[in-house]
Amino acid sequence: MQHSLLSRTPQNVEIVPRNRQFNIEEVLATNWHGGDAFKTAFFDAMSILFPLGEQFFIDSVKEFRDQIEDPELQRRVRGFVAQEAIHRREHQHYNEALCKARGIPLKKMEARVERKQEFAHRYLRPIQRLSATVALEHLTAIMADATFRNPEGLEGAHPEMKALWHWHALEETEHKSVAFDVFVAVGGSHFRRRLSMALITLEFTLHVIRNMRLLLRDYEGSRVKLWWGGLKFLFGEKGALRGLMRPYLDFYKRDFHPWDHDNRDLVSSVMSEFGGGAVNPV
Ligand SMILES: [Fe+2]
Ligand SMILES: [Fe+2]
């Protein structure tokens, strides 16, 4: 008998894969975020992580597919896999265009993630890989929430880039509890989940900083000013990532569930951009 947490995922949240394509090749050759090198590099650095990262998420959830008894959770897993596969495709396209424009081989950008994933496949057990996925899905969910809650984060960005990030953030919100619910359904422990989050937070931060340094290697102005201004952009009074600490720490609570942060109202306000959809307010 599997313990189901689906009752804590709101009934009216549908996971709808939207097969979107974005016309961004030319834009990526520029500092598309209001001409600002730091802001552009911050988003670009995260994009670099997604194709390999999202394939890892898909694989780690699929490894447990046969053990999921709840048909509703099975259906939500299918939605999750479909959404992440399309994200993967669009960010691959994004990254290829970006690296071509910046003259940096994509293989070089992805080398660190590749090494970590090889390690994970060789030395970690499936439940440990799933646990890492649960932690990363929470990080993406709270950043997605910040995208909508703190619109200053994408203010001044090229409209097509803004649309891409909104689309991704919307779908990350829709499927934010899937990996978590699978982890619980197959008996994943609180201890493992918390430990993974502590390790993953450090890893994720190091990956983003490394990618940003590579992307900004030809920056000609003062680096101190660039990073100081950038930290204010992220964590300052109107920072793009302000307010993330509490939802981040909530993950460490014993009875945490991703939909404890019920942001359906917030997300529904941007859904009209994407032809309506799934996260309907009650
Ligand atoms: Fe995604
Ligand atoms: Fe995701």
Side-chain angles (χ1 to χ4, degrees):
M1 179 68 188
Q2 289 188 353
H3 172 60
S4 173
L5 270 178
L6 284 178
S7 57
R8 294 176 69 187
T9 296
Q11 293 294 313
N12 62 344
V13 177
E14 281 299 321
I15 300 173
V16 180
R18 299 167 183 81
N19 194 3
R20 290 289 301 256
Q21 286 176 306
F22 297 88
N23 185 12
I24 53 177
E25 281 100 350
E26 284 170 26
V27 179
L28 283 165
T30 67
N31 283 331
W32 55 265
H33 200 321
D36 187 295
F38 183 95
K39 295 177 187 177
T40 303
F42 173 70
F43 285 91
D44 289 349
M46 285 198 294
S47 177
I48 293 291
L49 302 175
F50 288 146
L52 287 175
E54 293 179 313
Q55 189 61 50
F56 180 87
F57 302 165
I58 291 170
D59 293 343
S60 60
V61 169
K62 272 183 165 176
E63 283 199 74
F64 289 92
R65 232 178 190 174
D66 295 347
Q67 296 178 39
I68 302 168
E69 291 166 7
D70 185 330
E72 174 58 17
L73 185 52
Q74 280 282 8
R75 197 174 70 82
R76 293 166 53 72
V77 165
R78 282 196 293 279
F80 164 81
V81 168
Q83 284 189 334
E84 295 292 35
I86 301 170
H87 300 169
R88 205 185 160 281
R89 180 196 74 199
E90 285 310 292
H91 281 277
Q92 182 69 25
H93 172 207
Y94 181 142
N95 297 345
E96 283 169 8
L98 172 72
C99 286
K100 193 171 163 207
R102 306 276 161 154
I104 308 173
L106 180 53
K107 276 276 162 213
K108 182 177 175 180
M109 298 283 310
E110 292 182 328
R112 192 170 193 269
V113 179
E114 238 168 8
R115 276 202 310 278
K116 299 287 170 171
Q117 291 193 348
E118 267 173 36
F119 175 88
H121 283 291
R122 191 170 297 178
Y123 298 109
L124 300 185
R125 288 185 287 127
I127 192 71
Q128 291 173 308
R129 292 196 288 272
L130 181 62
S131 185
T133 295
V134 171
L136 280 159
E137 281 286 281
H138 183 59
L139 292 184
T140 53
I142 61 177
M143 285 194 289
D145 181 76
T147 302
F148 301 123
R149 198 171 296 281
N150 308 330
E152 301 88 351
L154 280 166
E155 211 169 69
H158 186 282
E160 192 72 353
M161 297 301 292
K162 193 171 168 179
L164 179 145
W165 286 102
H166 274 179
W167 161 76
H168 198 160
L170 169 64
E171 297 197 349
E172 287 304 317
T173 305
E174 287 172 350
H175 72 230
K176 67 178 175 176
S177 63
V178 175
F180 185 98
D181 287 343
V182 172
F183 180 75
V184 172
V186 299
S189 74
H190 299 298
F191 172 76
R192 188 181 302 291
R193 173 168 74 73
R194 292 164 176 162
L195 177 64
S196 290
M197 181 54 105
L199 298 172
I200 283 294
T201 304
L202 179 66
E203 268 300 312
F204 181 79
T205 307
L206 292 175
H207 280 293
V208 172
I209 292 172
R210 173 193 179 270
N211 288 352
M212 288 185 71
R213 290 183 62 189
L214 274 170
L215 289 164
L216 291 165
R217 65 184 180 172
D218 296 329
Y219 183 75
E220 286 172 351
S222 156
R223 278 170 195 271
V224 175
K225 270 192 192 156
L226 177 79
W227 283 85
W228 180 245
L231 287 176
K232 278 202 285 194
F233 162 69
L234 293 176
F235 302 109
E237 202 182 331
K238 295 215 157 186
L241 299 183
R242 70 183 187 275
L244 279 194
M245 194 46 89
R246 193 188 59 77
Y248 170 75
L249 289 175
D250 283 347
F251 187 86
Y252 291 92
K253 288 183 184 162
R254 200 176 168 76
D255 63 347
F256 170 79
H257 184 270
W259 278 105
D260 291 349
H261 303 145
D262 189 346
N263 54 355
R264 283 172 290 168
D265 283 351
L266 184 68
V267 174
S268 68
S269 64
V270 296
M271 283 190 58
S272 53
E273 270 182 71
F274 300 96
V279 185
N280 303 309
V282 188

